Amino acid sequence: MEGLISLLINLVLPILLIVAALITGTIIEKRHYQSIDKREALLGNIVLLNGKEYPKDTPVANVQFVSGSVVISYDYFKRFLAGLRQIFGGEIKSYVSLLDRGRREAILRMKGKCPDADIIINLRLDTSSISKGRRKRGLGTVEVFAYGTALKFAGSPE
Amino acid sequence: MILTNIESVPGKKIVEHYGLVSGSTVRAKHVGRDIMASLKNIVGGELKGYTELLEDAREQARERMTKQAEELGANAVINIRFNTSSIAQGASELYIYGTAVRVE
């Protein structure tokens, strides 16, 4: 009886958690990508440049410093996959998609602060890992921070 | 107060430089948010509590920097840079710096 209980706790519970995380994580990711695609289409008229150059012959009407950030975390299933990957090495695809979501979300939030701007120049992206500080196992959480200078040209439509 | 992260203010001429201005804040996360984050960590996705915390902290650092610039008589800060460093377990410093200038 005792053996059965410990088996339940040690084996069944983690498996249940992994399955639950797989289902909810997949749903959350799918919804997030849908929302990202929708908003990217809406704000697609703002040109992003990571250089400092801008068309100097056009008069600038408004200059605004904009930024956006998001803290995003891996789910239990992704961490499990990554754990397997770390045995054999290679690309951890599940983490790639997570960081892609984070970056695109941060950029969208930045754009959302200046919806009528024409271009954003000197775009910078910062990624920092926020771990809980437990010696070996971090929380698996990253912050993505995007910032740039938004310009609105004089005479361009509102 | 105009802020940019390039060396100039587009469309305006810089008439005076006042040197470096900066603002910083050290923030710790509180236990309630930590517990919520741990729960959210099972299913993944955005940790809104942490996003807000970091946004608030950056906003405060930015306010401190612009206040310093105002005191010098500047009306713009150019070449802004951000720096985030974790100084202790569960606490991080947000630092923002730039050059205070006066534009026409």
Side-chain angles (χ1 to χ4, degrees):
Chain A
M1 190 64 196
E2 252 177 51
L4 194 72
I5 291 170
S6 73
L7 181 83
L8 209 72
I9 290 171
N10 288 323
L11 203 72
V12 179
L13 199 67
I15 289 174
L16 271 178
L17 270 179
I18 287 168
V19 172
L22 168 65
I23 296 164
T24 49
T26 312
I27 294 169
I28 290 174
E29 182 161 288
K30 210 176 158 192
R31 279 202 193 140
H32 194 196
Y33 265 126
Q34 277 171 352
S35 133
I36 286 174
D37 286 340
K38 215 166 89 187
R39 282 178 296 154
E40 266 179 357
L42 266 171
L43 292 164
N45 55 338
I46 304 173
V47 180
L48 293 175
L49 297 169
N50 70 340
K52 291 168 184 171
E53 294 298 313
Y54 58 93
K56 294 230 163 52
D57 46 341
T58 337
V60 178
N62 195 19
V63 181
Q64 194 191 348
F65 181 75
V66 284
S67 64
S69 74
V70 62
V71 176
I72 202 161
S73 92
Y74 316 129
D75 61 52
Y76 207 83
F77 177 69
K78 287 193 172 182
R79 225 167 317 146
F80 171 73
L81 278 187
L84 286 183
R85 258 285 172 234
Q86 273 157 14
I87 301 169
F88 306 106
E91 188 186 17
I92 306 173
K93 287 217 178 74
S94 57
Y95 280 12
V96 174
S97 76
L98 185 94
L99 285 159
D100 175 51
R101 270 161 68 196
R103 295 220 171 87
R104 285 165 76 178
E105 179 70 41
I107 289 173
L108 279 171
R109 284 189 187 173
M110 178 190 70
K111 278 181 167 181
K113 291 194 184 147
C114 57
D116 54 354
D118 293 307
I119 62 171
I120 294 176
I121 55 170
N122 209 17
L123 171 75
R124 293 285 177 271
L125 280 165
D126 253 8
T127 315
S128 51
S129 148
I130 308 170
S131 68
K132 218 172 183 181
R134 274 184 198 152
R135 261 147 284 158
K136 272 185 184 167
R137 228 155 41 96
L139 195 63
T141 307
V142 285
E143 194 218 6
V144 184
F145 180 55
Y147 59 102
T149 304
L151 303 182
K152 169 142 185 66
F153 295 123
S156 70
E158 281 294 313
Chain B
M1 183 70 64
I2 304 167
L3 306 175
T4 74
N5 65 342
I6 55 171
E7 287 92 354
S8 63
V9 179
K12 290 199 165 74
K13 214 178 138 196
I14 293 163
V15 286
E16 204 170 345
H17 283 263
Y18 295 97
L20 191 81
V21 285
S22 63
S24 75
T25 178
V26 179
R27 288 286 179 103
K29 39 191 193 183
H30 69 74
V31 184
R33 271 184 177 150
D34 238 25
I35 293 166
M36 283 306 291
S38 312
L39 288 177
K40 193 73 207 280
N41 217 17
I42 296 167
V43 293
E46 188 189 352
L47 305 177
K48 287 215 175 69
Y50 285 175
T51 307
E52 270 165 33
L53 184 81
L54 285 158
E55 286 274 289
D56 280 358
R58 280 215 183 83
E59 191 58 45
Q60 191 178 35
R62 194 189 305 188
E63 264 166 31
R64 285 183 180 162
M65 182 187 70
T66 49
K67 201 175 156 231
Q68 205 183 340
E70 266 165 24
E71 277 165 10
L72 289 168
N75 60 2
V77 180
I78 58 167
N79 232 344
I80 288 173
R81 296 283 180 273
F82 284 94
N83 225 321
T84 314
S85 49
S86 151
I87 55 162
Q89 184 179 323
S92 51
E93 190 210 18
L94 293 136
Y95 183 58
I96 171 170
Y97 58 102
T99 309
V101 294
R102 169 179 287 283
V103 294
E104 277 169 342

